[in-house]
Amino acid sequence: MAKRDVVGGFELQVLLAVMRLGDDAYGVPISDTIEKASGREVAAGSIYITLDRLESKGLVTSRMGESTPERGGRAKTYYQITGKGVRAVRHAQRTLVRLWRGVPHLEGGRA
């Protein structure tokens, strides 16, 4: 895997939220999904900056939805993970599992 395909922690969270949401993956639900899973507040700006970076890496694609009156006529931008993005998530998962495996503090309930 090329170095640019390696994802950071927050990028991984955004990719996983996009995968989880499927066709409903746009800014607010992505943020809500991460907040619910992590228990931490997520700034909307950080979501959009990360999505732009992931799109430039070819890990997600975006499409414009229909404009809606409740958004003042603005359209939502929906995101979908690419095959390359799925491979990056799988690589991150394998890496983390290998790193976690055998760490004494994580085995047997010791703090």
Side-chain angles (χ1 to χ4, degrees):
M1 176 165 290
K3 182 173 174 56
R4 63 183 158 78
D5 295 339
V6 175
V7 294
F10 190 68
E11 289 177 329
L12 180 58
Q13 290 179 31
V14 171
L15 286 169
L16 288 167
V18 169
M19 292 174 80
R20 181 175 295 275
L21 290 163
D23 291 339
D24 294 323
Y26 64 93
V28 172
I30 292 169
S31 178
D32 290 346
T33 299
I34 294 169
E35 287 180 3
K36 184 176 179 183
S38 69
R40 299 179 71 174
E41 192 171 319
V42 177
S46 65
I47 295 290
Y48 292 108
I49 289 168
T50 302
L51 286 165
D52 286 345
R53 187 170 53 250
L54 292 170
E55 191 165 23
S56 71
K57 291 180 177 184
L59 304 179
V60 298
T61 58
S62 63
R63 66 175 172 77
M64 295 301 287
E66 299 294 320
S67 58
T68 58
E70 59 268 10
R71 291 177 45 88
R74 295 179 301 138
K76 295 174 184 172
T77 303
Y78 292 90
Y79 295 87
Q80 182 175 17
I81 193 163
T82 63
K84 185 177 178 181
V86 171
R87 288 188 297 276
V89 168
R90 286 186 179 138
H91 177 73
Q93 179 188 33
R94 285 190 303 270
T95 300
L96 290 170
V97 167
R98 282 193 297 264
L99 286 167
W100 277 319
R101 198 174 292 136
V103 175
H105 286 63
L106 299 177
E107 293 179 355
R110 290 184 298 197

